[in-house]
Amino acid sequence: ETGVTQSPTHLIKTRGQQVTLRCSSQSGHNTVSWYQQALGQGPQFIFQYYREEENGRGNFPPRFSGLQFPNYSSELNVNALELDDSALYLCASSADSYNEKLFFGSGTQLSVL
Amino acid sequence: QQQVKQSPQSLIVQKGGISIINCAYENTAFDYFPWYQQFPGKGPALLIAIRPDVSEKKEGRFTISFNKSAKQFSLHIMDSQPGDSATYFCAASRGSGYSTLTFGKGTMLLVSP
């Protein structure tokens, strides 16, 4: 059984650029959630994808968007990067959209300069 | 509005001692309360969780105490070990058609040898 894997591990971008982060969910899981963790803070919910559809969204602007693919892997896209977007981006998978047991990847550390 | 308040921000405990971390929540619709453990460079990992129909849950050295009327819950780590040194997050979620966790800000625990 493979766990949740994320790529890349680290990324440096400049303000105004666009970024794509990737996530492979745990084997057998069809739901992926994305969280943003700022330094010294708890993770904040961005959105969830269930069977390739956005299933719920937190308080993030539309420039944060995502995709889920038929193999349940997922992408997080952020357009027009701002300095405050610098954070650890965590992907979590679960067995289904109602299952609260989330399994997190190690995250992608994004720095916006 | 911070829906889950966690304290203390940091904690130092001697090896063999008891570590206690507290959380308070505001939303009475929350019905699932997990604790996550996060080591540097890693994503959060589910440690133990409780639902409001019980007042205590124990798994090994880890115990959750839950007080529904006070809207508070706490994590107790018995016989704390240096390997327990990590950041601990409480969280809460409510059944809303999709699972999303609201996290506290975290507690950095250091267990001194």
Side-chain angles (χ1 to χ4, degrees):
Chain A
E1 181 180 274
T2 56
V4 178
T5 58
Q6 292 186 242
S7 63
T9 305
H10 296 84
L11 202 53
I12 299 174
K13 292 285 187 178
T14 56
R15 193 170 50 183
Q17 285 188 313
Q18 178 266 343
V19 68
T20 297
L21 311 181
R22 295 178 174 82
C23 170
S24 293
S25 59
Q26 185 163 311
S27 176
H29 287 184
N30 60 21
T31 302
V32 172
S33 302
W34 286 91
Y35 285 76
Q36 180 195 66
Q37 186 176 18
L39 189 63
Q41 302 292 317
Q44 276 197 295
F45 175 70
I46 302 175
F47 44 55
Q48 181 189 84
Y49 277 81
Y50 171 65
R51 294 189 173 181
E52 303 178 58
E53 296 286 332
E54 186 179 295
N55 193 41
R57 190 177 184 92
N59 189 26
F60 281 81
R63 59 190 185 83
F64 285 78
S65 63
L67 282 173
Q68 187 180 31
F69 301 99
N71 65 355
Y72 303 129
S73 66
S74 177
E75 286 182 355
L76 164 65
N77 299 290
V78 186
N79 294 321
L81 283 167
E82 300 177 359
L83 298 179
D84 284 350
D85 295 334
S86 295
L88 180 68
Y89 288 85
L90 295 163
C91 168
S93 74
S94 54
D96 58 58
S97 63
Y98 285 87
N99 196 314
E100 299 123 326
K101 287 187 179 179
L102 301 187
F103 295 85
F104 285 86
S106 294
T108 294
Q109 184 65 55
L110 172 64
S111 299
V112 182
L113 306 178
Chain B
Q1 182 186 12
Q2 187 185 352
Q3 295 195 55
V4 179
K5 294 184 179 180
Q6 183 171 347
S7 63
Q9 189 173 352
S10 63
L11 183 62
I12 300 175
V13 173
Q14 284 194 332
K15 179 182 175 182
I18 302 173
S19 304
I20 301 174
I21 305 172
N22 301 299
C23 278
Y25 63 96
E26 299 168 4
N27 190 341
T28 54
F30 287 144
D31 59 3
Y32 176 72
F33 302 89
W35 284 90
Y36 278 81
Q37 179 189 56
Q38 185 175 28
F39 292 104
K42 300 292 185 182
L46 178 64
L47 197 58
I48 187 173
I50 197 168
R51 294 196 182 274
D53 53 344
V54 296
S55 60
E56 186 175 282
K57 184 174 182 180
K58 183 177 181 180
E59 290 184 1
R61 297 185 295 110
F62 301 93
T63 300
I64 299 180
S65 296
F66 186 82
N67 186 330
K68 189 174 181 179
S69 60
K71 293 189 287 185
Q72 294 175 348
F73 58 110
S74 60
L75 175 69
H76 296 235
I77 305 175
M78 312 300 287
D79 187 25
S80 298
Q81 298 297 312
D84 296 330
S85 298
T87 300
Y88 292 80
F89 293 95
C90 62
S93 75
R94 58 184 175 92
S96 62
Y98 59 93
S99 60
T100 171
L101 292 175
T102 300
F103 284 85
K105 290 190 173 183
T107 297
M108 288 185 60
L109 171 66
L110 176 64
V111 181
S112 59

